[in-house]
Amino acid sequence: MSLVYAGVLSHAPGITGRAHLVENTAKRDEFYAALDKQRREIQDSGAEALIVIAAEHFANFFMNNMPAYCIGIGSQYEGPIEDPDWLKISRTKVPGAADLATRLTREVMKTVDVAYAEEWKFDHGIMVPLHFLTPEYDLPIIPVNINCQGPPLTPLHRAWAFGKALRRACDSVPEKIAVVGTGGISHWPATPDSGKINEKWDREFLDRLMRNDKDALLSYDDIQTYRDAGQGGFEIRTFIAIAAASGGDGELQFYTAELPIFAVGCTVARFSLDRTA
Amino acid sequence: MSLYHLQKFLYELNRDETAQQKYRNDLETLLDDFDLSDEESNALREGDIGLLYVLGVNGQILMHYAAFLEIEWFAYLELMREGIAKHGPVRAGVYAMTGGGESFTVEGKKR
Ligand SMILES: [Fe+2]
């Protein structure tokens, strides 16, 4: 059929791993409720597979051979690679969608060069979203990675082009597909500044994202982003790809900068799907 | 400069259970497979998070390593701050400390 759901959510490891340390438990639970609503929306969409556009953190790809974009075409995956006690997510097997992912990859390749991988170990960037969105791990997953860690990084307009290509691919197959982008907005994870959040920058970015304002979204540059939003801000590429794929307006369902122990402004949003995207 | 190899060591360790066994049982052989300076090898022998951070190991790679060493969250952040106090600012990469070394969470400030 086509794309039936598009959304974004945060993936920081603290969201599960440091849940027990949170003082503002009311806000934490509000966030978890928003994630659970997202789970139901995906379920209600009838999606037969979930594409997760993630920004991984050296679980599979390293500077010896770094793809700007990669699609997982394996039949099964495993995660998390991190210590399960640290992430508070048990190590598990996750079903892939080998045939569908291969057809999508072939279609994407008509306009955008992309790598593919039959092996993929999930890190927190995918496991945290799955923990909330498909807690039984019974929905076939197609992992996608955009390199947001090891510069040189793909330019934002290419992340947009990739999102467009993925949408065309989804609309070319009979299956119903959901897609989520996971990343952070401003944040300084895995530094002593962990917990620092530039809420003003986040809200400006989210405003552009919800309006799906292509020019405004693509006007960020990495030097400014690094200064104002930290290296974690490079992950806006995943959100931008979702905006391009949806072609519709966003609805910000949850945002807070009041859970710095999670080291990110916690975000949940969905997009309407423009049929002409 | 062999930061690339230092990070590659940790990348392999973080994702490969066989490498993790080797790290625990036969670290010297594992180290031999990588082109590391003495400072880097020693930092790995000692699990010196502060020095590895200052040497420029990508924060994500280092965070996984700290979890593997079972270092508690706030202790891990403190080890990076101590590394900077001892060795100076981060020498490479995009994970430099940009704040003043304070904690950005109420939970951390109480420690
Ligand atoms: Fe991330």
Side-chain angles (χ1 to χ4, degrees), chain A residues 11-13 55-57 124-125 149 183-184 187 189 232 235, chain B residues 60:
Chain A
H11 70 221
E56 75 145 34
H57 317 81
H124 67 263
Q149 284 292 336
H187 63 315
E235 292 182 344
Chain B
Q60 297 289 342

Side-chain angles (χ1 to χ4, degrees), chain A residues 9-33:
Chain A
L9 74 162
S10 309
H11 70 221
I15 294 169
T16 52
R18 295 192 291 284
H20 62 295
L21 296 175
V22 174
E23 292 215 343
N24 192 346
T25 52
K27 190 55 82 177
R28 176 196 67 189
D29 293 345
E30 207 184 307
F31 175 40
Y32 289 171

Side-chain angles (χ1 to χ4, degrees), chain A residues 23 59-60 121 149 193 231, chain B residues 11 15 95 98-99 107 110:
Chain A
E23 292 215 343
N60 305 277
K121 296 185 183 191
Q149 284 292 336
D193 311 312
Q231 89 288 343
Chain B
Y11 162 74
R15 69 191 301 274
Y95 277 74
T98 55
E107 292 86 352
K110 288 186 179 167

Side-chain angles (χ1 to χ4, degrees), chain B residues 37-48:
Chain B
S37 70
D38 290 347
E39 187 183 40
E40 290 162 342
S41 306
N42 282 331
L44 292 170
R45 282 188 190 97
E46 285 156 29
D48 189 339

Side-chain angles (χ1 to χ4, degrees), chain B residues 17-30 68:
Chain B
E17 280 180 25
T18 311
Q20 289 166 12
Q21 291 294 332
K22 232 173 160 181
Y23 181 93
R24 291 189 174 105
N25 303 325
D26 192 10
L27 177 58
E28 292 308 315
T29 314
L30 188 62
F68 167 71

Side-chain angles (χ1 to χ4, degrees), chain A residues 134-274:
Chain A
T134 168
E136 303 298 325
Y137 304 104
D138 51 2
L139 183 63
I141 301 301
I142 299 173
V144 171
N145 193 60
I146 303 179
N147 170 28
C148 300
Q149 284 292 336
L153 307 179
T154 186
L156 300 183
H157 70 272
R158 297 303 295 164
W160 184 274
F162 177 75
K164 282 283 201 195
L166 196 61
R167 173 62 183 274
R168 274 193 297 273
C170 289
D171 287 349
S172 76
V173 297
E175 290 90 344
K176 293 182 179 179
I177 301 171
V179 61
V180 291
T182 97
I185 329 176
S186 74
H187 63 315
W188 287 257
T191 74
D193 311 312
S194 176
K196 186 173 160 189
I197 293 165
N198 184 344
E199 182 175 356
K200 188 161 172 278
W201 194 92
D202 281 0
R203 292 202 182 271
E204 171 62 30
F205 175 79
L206 289 171
D207 179 62
R208 297 180 193 192
L209 188 70
M210 295 304 109
R211 287 187 285 110
N212 206 336
D213 184 337
K214 179 184 175 185
D215 291 341
L217 285 169
L218 301 190
S219 71
Y220 289 97
D221 78 69
D222 280 347
I223 293 168
Q224 288 167 1
T225 297
Y226 184 66
R227 184 192 63 209
D228 300 331
Q231 89 288 343
F234 295 157
E235 292 182 344
I236 59 173
R237 286 165 173 76
T238 64
F239 287 14
I240 287 173
I242 292 295
S246 82
D249 289 337
E251 179 198 342
L252 185 61
Q253 296 164 299
F254 186 85
Y255 173 81
T256 186
E258 291 171 41
L259 292 167
I261 186 68
F262 289 168
V264 71
C266 299
T267 309
V268 181
R270 66 175 299 167
F271 287 82
S272 62
L273 300 173
D274 177 357

Side-chain angles (χ1 to χ4, degrees), chain B residues 49-101:
Chain B
I49 297 294
L51 178 55
L52 293 167
Y53 176 59
V54 168
L55 289 174
V57 171
N58 179 288
Q60 297 289 342
I61 292 175
L62 190 61
M63 182 173 69
H64 293 194
Y65 178 56
F68 167 71
L69 296 179
E70 298 182 10
I71 298 170
E72 185 273 334
W73 178 253
F74 293 109
Y76 149 70
L77 298 181
E78 199 51 40
L79 286 170
M80 288 191 284
R81 293 185 191 112
E82 285 170 11
I84 286 186
K86 194 168 165 191
H87 305 288
V90 173
R91 297 176 200 166
V94 292
Y95 277 74
M97 185 171 84
T98 55

